[in-house]
Amino acid sequence: MFRFIIQNSRWLAAGALLTLLSSFGQTYFISIFAGEIRSAFNLSHGDWGAIYGFGTFASAVAMVWAGGLTDIMRVRRLGPIVLAALAASCLFMAFNPWVALLPVVIFCLRFTGQGMSTHIAAVAMSRWFVVNRGKALSVASLGFSIGEAAYPLLVVALMVFFAWQGIWIFAALLALLSIPTLMWLLREERSPQSMASEGQSAGLNGRHWTRNQTLAHPLFWFMMPAFLGQSAFGTAFFFLQVHFAEIKGWEHFQLVAMFPVYTGVAIGSMVLSGILLDKLGTARLIPYFQLPMIVAFLLFSYGQSLIAALVGFVFLGLASGANATLPNAFWAEFFGTKHLGSIKAAAAAAMVLGSAIGPTITGILLDFNLPLEVQYIAIAGFFGFSSIMMWVGISRARRSQQT
């Protein structure tokens, strides 16, 4: 693993930089400002959830088209464009005075951050690396983990000294200053022939599946509940972190202080799942990667102590780390890499759609006085259902390939 990282450090670092900067469009970052945004624009939980959901849904629609750009543009061209747009989106959040434009702000942040920055990194790692795809995805995904661990603590500390709008200006500057670094890292393409057919790996039945063919395959739909659910309810948890701390009687900083533990576990799970993926393949691992989510949400529901929450974060980290590698490798392994950009764009759109659905549903249910603890029990049940669906879908696909 160490030798692999050293030999490919330039391209792995580019992927990690993109995933790190995607933080500015991720729920765990935006939700830190939930209280300030709701206060500034006089919004209820349901109002804020609906605005967030609408902007995120619009970004999911845009991803269906824009994600295919990774099939026709190299990362060293597309990456800087997306980072410049992300910086502009951060400035939009900082200076927007009107509630009517807030859904547009959310759209811009989610599309450029959570959507395109993440998508470019995942497609690049899946296409550039075949034998070591799992390792590459796990290393590049360290950017997510670093962001989850560092940014919440840093932002909460900075909000003592700066207005929340000022922090978004800092985020914009960081995104802009990272563009020269990305261009330097990618001044040499890892695989100039990556667009050629001989540089692609095939999927099921030795075929290079197109997006339409993938959408017509039953396996795609068997996997959708899992990919939607992980995004929807993982997003919902971080989106409502302030409210979660309030109902448990904790200070917000006490909850945020657990994020590094969650991140540390996620990193370990990410690296381990990447190594196991290269050895065992996606099919043997992916049906089980969401089982820790069941335990996590049950602990978040029934637990009343910080210790229970900490254990919940451990299980949440196990699933989150595996989620950074297994789903991305799944599309390449089962449907090939020739049209991976457009296929992954459809999957990314579904993921982004899930992140719109989760906060919207939970926020509206809170407005209808359905306690968050009760919602978390139902969410745990959903992850049991999604795990069964994955197992059935993978089993059917493997039997079909053998006949």
Side-chain angles (χ1 to χ4, degrees):
M1 185 70 169
F2 180 75
R3 183 182 305 164
F4 169 75
I5 293 173
I6 295 298
Q7 292 175 344
N8 299 279
S9 58
R10 179 186 300 277
W11 305 284
L12 295 174
L17 179 63
L18 285 167
T19 57
L20 174 64
L21 293 170
S22 77
S23 297
F24 303 142
Q26 300 283 2
T27 298
Y28 65 78
F29 187 86
I30 300 173
S31 63
I32 299 171
F33 306 90
E36 285 72 18
I37 293 172
R38 287 178 53 230
S39 176
F41 295 101
N42 194 25
L43 302 172
S44 69
H45 285 293
D47 295 334
W48 172 228
I51 288 172
Y52 195 80
F54 180 82
T56 302
F57 174 78
S59 71
V61 175
M63 276 298 301
V64 175
W65 167 79
L69 292 174
T70 53
D71 287 335
I72 59 176
M73 293 180 69
R74 298 186 188 277
V75 178
R76 66 184 179 189
R77 289 185 58 198
L78 185 58
I81 295 172
V82 169
L83 291 185
L86 176 60
S89 302
C90 292
L91 292 175
F92 194 6
M93 173 63 93
F95 294 108
N96 172 47
W98 298 298
V99 67
L101 288 180
L102 197 53
V104 183
V105 175
I106 298 302
F107 162 78
C108 293
L109 286 170
R110 302 292 273 163
F111 175 68
T112 57
Q114 184 207 24
M116 287 302 294
S117 296
T118 299
H119 177 67
I120 293 170
V123 171
M125 295 304 105
S126 298
R127 182 172 280 143
W128 287 344
F129 302 92
V130 177
V131 176
N132 293 300
R133 182 178 291 139
K135 296 186 185 72
L137 286 167
S138 64
V139 174
S141 297
L142 288 174
F144 292 124
S145 301
I146 295 170
E148 287 174 337
Y151 284 138
L153 285 171
L154 180 61
V155 169
V156 171
L158 288 176
M159 287 173 72
V160 177
F161 305 100
F162 299 97
W164 65 273
Q165 294 94 336
I167 297 174
W168 282 103
I169 296 174
F170 292 148
L173 291 174
L174 185 58
L176 282 176
L177 292 173
S178 298
I179 293 175
T181 302
L182 181 67
M183 296 177 69
W184 177 78
L185 289 170
L186 296 178
R187 69 184 188 275
E188 177 186 347
E189 282 280 349
R190 181 182 185 276
S191 50
Q193 78 281 12
S194 62
M195 297 296 179
S197 59
E198 63 268 20
Q200 309 294 344
S201 61
L204 285 169
N205 301 319
R207 292 173 55 186
H208 295 287
W209 294 73
T210 65
R211 179 161 67 186
N212 288 341
Q213 292 169 341
T214 301
L215 292 175
H217 197 287
L219 179 58
F220 180 90
W221 301 104
F222 273 100
M223 303 301 290
M224 273 303 100
F227 296 157
L228 279 170
Q230 182 90 15
S231 176
F233 301 121
T235 298
F237 176 78
F238 286 103
F239 183 76
L240 292 169
Q241 59 180 273
V242 175
H243 179 66
F244 178 63
E246 289 175 353
I247 63 176
K248 294 295 186 180
W250 308 326
E251 295 292 333
H252 184 208
F253 189 82
Q254 290 178 299
L255 185 68
V256 170
M258 299 183 193
F259 285 10
V261 174
Y262 157 77
T263 302
V265 174
I267 291 173
S269 175
M270 190 189 311
V271 173
L272 179 61
S273 64
I275 293 172
L276 291 177
L277 191 157
D278 291 336
K279 292 181 178 295
L280 303 177
T282 311
R284 294 185 181 180
L285 299 175
I286 201 167
Y288 311 106
F289 86 100
Q290 289 191 339
L291 295 180
M293 296 292 283
I294 301 174
V295 181
F297 276 94
L298 290 176
L299 283 168
F300 292 145
S301 175
Y302 290 108
Q304 298 300 321
S305 67
L306 289 169
I307 295 297
L310 185 63
V311 177
F313 273 115
V314 169
F315 282 94
L316 193 67
L318 289 172
S320 178
N323 186 61
T325 57
L326 294 176
N328 289 317
F330 166 80
W331 301 112
E333 183 173 324
F334 278 83
F335 298 106
T337 60
K338 186 174 183 179
H339 306 286
L340 183 61
S342 57
I343 293 171
K344 183 73 173 57
M351 179 268 292
V352 175
L353 176 62
S355 66
I357 293 172
T360 303
I361 291 177
T362 52
I364 291 173
L365 290 177
L366 282 176
D367 282 355
F368 280 94
N369 298 316
L370 185 67
L372 196 59
E373 293 96 332
V374 176
Q375 295 187 44
Y376 283 172
I377 295 172
I379 289 170
F382 177 89
F383 283 117
F385 164 76
S386 66
S387 297
I388 293 172
M389 290 290 287
M390 281 192 291
W391 183 83
V392 172
I394 293 290
S395 299
R396 283 167 52 98
R398 296 182 75 181
R399 286 197 301 268
S400 174
Q401 190 175 24
Q402 293 168 359
T403 57

